[in-house]
Amino acid sequence: MHSEPDWAAATTQFQQALGESWSNAIQSLARVGETDGATVPAPRLSFSPEKLAALQQAYLKEAAELWNHGLAGVAAGDKRFASEDWGSNPVAAFSAATYLLNGRTLLGLVEATETDPKTKARLRFAVEQWMAASAPSNFMALNAEAQKKALETRGESIARGIQNLLHDLQQGHVSMTDESQFEVGRNVATTEGAVVFENELMQLIEYKPTTAKVYERPYLVVPPCINKFYILDLQPENSLLKYLVDQGHHTFVVSWRNPDQSFEQRSWDDYVEAGPLKAIEVVRDIAGAGQINALGFCVGGTLLGTALAVLGARGEKPVASATFLTTLLDFSDTGVLDLFIDENMVRYREMQMGRGGLLKGQELASTFSFLRPNDLVWNYVVGNYLKGETPPAFDLLYWNSDSTNLPGPMYAWYLRNTYLENNLVKPGKVTVCGEKVDLRKIDLPVYVYGSREDHIVPIGAAYASVNHLPGKKRFVMGASGHIAGVINPPAKKKRSYWTNDKLPKIHAEWLQGASEHPGSWWTDWAAWLKPHAGKQVPAPKRYGKGTTYKAIEPAPGRYVRDKA
C-alpha cells in the first residue's frame, strides 16, 4: 500500500523554495541598473521595502494555495486559457495559473521599483513582452487545446502547422490573415481613377468623379509613407477616398514608392519636396485652381505640416484648408513609442544609416505588432503553427502586413528632430527645403482629429497641434484607436465622436466641455469642409490635363504593388 503524501511538509518545502527564488529575482532585477563604466550609466533601481514585503507575502500565499489545490489550478479571466480543454487538463490548468501568478508578481515588482518614470515604463514593457512570449499556450507541450486537436486530427494539425511555419519563414513575417485572398486593385484599393503624375518617390492618383459637378477646389490626400495608402481605400463601403469623391470633391492621393537600395540616400527634405510640395503644385495645375484643400494622415500629416510651413516661409498660400488625422506635430507626448527613444538609440540609428541605408519594412511592422504582442504576434503563432489553422481573410490585416521600407537618412532625421528633440514646434530650429520651419506660418483653417484610444498618436498629443497653428481651428475626437477610429464610415452607424467649440490649452480641459454625438465624425468633417471647397463646377470628363498630365496607368498604380 502507498502512504498518503505529507502535504503540510511539502507545502513548507515549497514555500522555502519560493522564498529563495524570490530573493534571487530581486537581486537580478536590482542588477539591471548596474554598469561597468564603459557605457552611459543606466538608472539604478531600488525598491520600496513596504511594497516589496507586501508583494512577497501575497505571492507566497497565492502560490501555497495553488500548491494545496494540487494540479487543479484555475486561470480565470484570460482568453488564452478560456477553453474547457485547459480546465479539464490538470497539468495545463496548473501551468496556466502558475504563469499568471508569476506574471502578476513581476508586474507588481516593477511597480515597487523606485526609479524615474521612463525606466519604470521600460521595465514594465520588458516584463509584458516576457509574459507574452513565455505563456504556456505558446508551447505544444503545455497547450491543451493544441494537443487535443493533434489527437483528433491524428497529427494532421501538426503537419499543417509545420507547413505554415515554413511558409511564413519564406515570406519573412507571421501570417495574420490569408493573404492569398487579396490583391491590390482587384478587391482592395478599387476606387476608379488613374495615375496622372509620378516621380521617383510618389505617384499621384486622380479619382474619377461620381457627381455631375465638383467643388472648384480639388482635394489632396497625403497618407503616411510608412504604410500603403489603401488603408483609406480598403473596400467601397469604408473608403475615405470614395467618400470624398461621392461628396463632390475632385480627389487626388499620393501613393508613396516602396524604397529599395537605390533610395538609401533619400532625406526628409526629399520626401517633403517630392511628396506634398510637388503634389500640391500638380493638383493646382490639373484643376486650374488657385488654391486646394489638403489632408494629412499620421506621418503624412507631419509631412504635410512641414510642407505648409515651408510654403508659409516662402510667402505662398496654395492651400485653403488642411485636415490633420491622428497626426503628431508636437512630439512632447509620444505614448508607448517613447519607450524606444533616447539619445543612445537615436545616435546608434544615425551611425547605422544616417548617411545611407534602408530601414526594412518588416522591422517597423514588428515594432508596432509587439506593442500588442498577445493579439498581433503570439495569437497567430499558436493558431498557425501549434493548431495548424489558416487565419481568416481580413483586409485590414492584409494591409497591415504589406509593409514599406524607409530610407535611412530620412528615418534618422525624423527620429532626432521629432521624437527625440521635438524640433518642429520650435520656430526656426530646423531647416527643410531651404526654409526655416515655423508652424506659426500655417495660417489657414484646420480640422484636427484624434482617436480616443490611439496608442501611436495619443489623444493629448493629437490635440496639442491646436496650440501651434494660428488659423481658425476645429478639434474632434473619435472613439476607438489609430486606424478603427479614422476608418468609421457613416453608413455603419458605429461608435461616436466628441466636439467642443472652445479650445483650452490641454485636451483634458477640452474634454470636460465636449459633447458626444453618435455615429461617424466623417459627417462633421464633411460639413466643415464644404464652405472651404468653393463653388461647384462641371466635373472633369478626362484624367489629367492636356498633354502635360496624361493618364499613365489605372489606379491604384504600380508603386503601391511593390513589396518590401
Side-chain angles (χ1 to χ4, degrees):
M1 294 180 62
H2 297 284
S3 60
E4 289 293 322
D6 187 349
W7 287 107
T11 299
T12 300
Q13 294 174 359
F14 181 61
Q15 289 177 322
Q16 291 173 347
L18 284 174
E20 293 175 4
S21 299
W22 178 269
S23 298
N24 292 334
I26 296 297
Q27 293 170 13
S28 297
L29 191 55
R31 284 195 294 269
V32 169
E34 294 180 358
T35 177
D36 58 4
T39 60
V40 177
R44 292 190 65 84
L45 305 180
S46 59
F47 298 90
S48 164
E50 296 80 11
K51 291 181 180 179
L52 210 57
L55 195 61
Q56 183 175 14
Q57 289 303 314
Y59 179 78
L60 293 173
K61 181 176 179 292
E62 290 187 57
E65 289 175 354
L66 266 182
W67 180 260
N68 287 331
H69 282 113
L71 296 180
V74 178
D78 193 305
K79 64 181 181 181
R80 292 171 294 180
F81 314 118
S83 167
E84 63 182 29
D85 297 326
W86 285 90
S88 61
N89 184 321
V91 175
F94 183 77
S95 68
T98 304
Y99 155 79
L100 291 174
L101 171 59
N102 289 337
R104 288 194 303 272
T105 305
L106 279 174
L107 286 174
L109 194 57
V110 169
E111 296 308 315
T113 58
E114 295 179 343
T115 185
D116 63 277
K118 187 162 185 172
T119 299
K120 182 173 283 191
R122 284 177 164 175
L123 284 171
R124 188 182 301 112
F125 181 80
V127 168
E128 288 171 348
Q129 294 299 317
W130 174 84
M131 287 172 59
S134 63
S137 52
N138 298 340
F139 302 92
M140 177 62 80
L142 296 172
N143 190 313
E145 286 183 85
Q147 293 169 5
K148 183 179 179 181
K149 188 162 189 175
L151 292 172
E152 291 175 344
T153 62
R154 298 183 179 181
E156 184 179 343
S157 63
I158 296 177
R160 287 198 303 265
I162 293 173
Q163 290 175 343
N164 291 342
L165 175 60
L166 294 175
H167 172 268
D168 286 357
L169 287 172
Q170 186 174 19
Q171 73 175 4
H173 64 266
V174 177
S175 293
M176 296 182 179
T177 185
D178 185 356
E179 297 179 22
S180 66
Q181 299 299 307
F182 298 100
E183 182 184 347
V184 174
R186 179 176 63 84
N187 56 2
V188 292
T190 59
T191 298
E192 188 174 358
V195 175
V196 292
F197 173 82
E198 66 182 38
N199 57 31
E200 288 187 336
L201 281 177
M202 66 93 176
Q203 288 188 315
L204 185 68
I205 298 171
E206 178 184 9
Y207 288 105
K208 181 179 180 179
T210 58
T211 53
K213 291 187 175 183
V214 296
Y215 292 105
E216 65 176 337
R217 286 177 179 155
Y219 205 93
L220 171 65
V221 176
V222 183
C225 55
I226 61 172
N227 296 109
K228 303 289 182 72
F229 82 87
Y230 64 89
I231 185 58
L232 301 172
D233 191 32
L234 283 176
Q235 301 296 330
E237 60 270 17
N238 66 4
S239 170
L240 184 67
L241 295 174
K242 187 176 187 303
Y243 180 79
L244 273 169
V245 173
D246 291 344
Q247 293 292 309
H249 296 282
H250 187 189
T251 305
F252 297 77
V253 69
V254 169
S255 174
W256 295 101
R257 186 79 169 265
N258 200 342
D260 57 23
Q261 281 73 19
S262 64
F263 293 84
E264 290 185 344
Q265 300 298 324
R266 297 294 180 170
S267 65
W268 181 263
D269 283 37
D270 292 330
Y271 268 74
V272 173
E273 187 73 57
L277 286 178
K278 188 62 181 179
I280 290 168
E281 175 191 329
V282 173
V283 170
R284 290 176 67 203
D285 285 349
I286 290 175
Q291 287 186 310
I292 72 170
N293 293 304
L295 176 153
F297 176 30
C298 189
V299 180
T302 310
L303 285 164
L304 176 63
T306 307
L308 292 176
V310 169
L311 290 168
R314 294 173 179 172
E316 301 175 19
K317 197 173 180 180
V319 177
S321 76
T323 296
F324 295 101
L325 304 183
T326 58
T327 292
L328 287 170
L329 295 176
D330 184 336
F331 285 74
S332 55
D333 174 15
T334 55
V336 68
L337 293 178
D338 181 61
L339 297 174
F340 305 103
I341 308 296
D342 60 20
E343 177 64 35
N344 286 340
M345 178 270 187
V346 173
R347 191 180 301 169
Y348 166 73
R349 286 300 199 182
E350 289 171 338
M351 293 172 59
Q352 181 189 36
M353 59 180 67
R355 296 181 180 273
L358 207 64
L359 179 73
K360 294 295 185 180
Q362 188 52 47
E363 183 176 345
L364 268 179
S366 296
T367 298
F368 287 115
S369 292
F370 276 99
L371 296 179
R372 294 169 54 199
N374 287 327
D375 294 330
L376 296 179
V377 180
W378 300 107
N379 173 51
Y380 298 103
V381 168
V382 172
N384 297 359
Y385 312 146
L386 301 192
K387 298 180 182 178
E389 298 170 346
T390 299
F394 188 15
D395 53 11
L396 176 61
L397 291 178
Y398 173 77
W399 166 83
N400 191 61
S401 299
D402 194 3
S403 59
T404 56
N405 302 323
L406 286 178
M410 178 267 196
Y411 175 64
W413 188 99
Y414 178 60
L415 283 180
R416 176 166 292 282
N417 288 285
T418 59
Y419 280 92
L420 182 65
E421 297 182 358
N422 195 21
N423 286 332
L424 292 181
V425 298
K426 302 172 184 176
K429 178 67 174 178
V430 294
T431 299
V432 177
C433 300
E435 306 292 345
K436 296 287 188 182
V437 172
D438 185 349
L439 298 182
R440 296 174 301 181
K441 300 284 188 180
I442 308 177
D443 190 8
L444 70 165
V446 294
Y447 188 101
V448 181
Y449 168 86
S451 291
R452 185 178 57 181
E453 287 92 34
D454 196 334
H455 62 289
I456 296 173
V457 179
I459 185 63
Y463 181 83
S465 295
V466 305
N467 296 319
H468 304 285
L469 303 172
K472 190 174 182 180
K473 299 173 282 283
R474 180 169 181 77
F475 181 82
V476 173
M477 180 179 76
S480 198
H482 190 68
I483 299 298
V486 171
I487 309 304
N488 184 30
K492 297 288 186 180
K493 297 181 179 179
K494 293 174 63 177
R495 306 187 181 95
S496 56
Y497 65 96
W498 290 259
T499 62
N500 183 354
D501 292 336
K502 296 181 179 179
L503 295 173
K505 184 75 173 176
I506 61 174
H507 172 260
E509 294 177 5
W510 177 90
L511 187 58
Q512 290 177 0
S515 301
E516 183 176 1
H517 312 275
S520 171
W521 63 270
W522 290 15
T523 53
D524 181 86
W525 172 55
W528 177 88
L529 185 58
K530 189 174 180 179
H532 300 296
K535 66 176 186 277
Q536 291 199 317
V537 297
K541 298 186 182 302
R542 59 182 60 87
Y543 298 116
K545 183 179 182 180
T547 58
T548 307
Y549 300 105
K550 292 183 177 181
I552 298 171
E553 60 183 333
R558 68 188 186 281
Y559 281 13
V560 73
R561 292 183 167 94
D562 291 341
K563 297 294 183 181

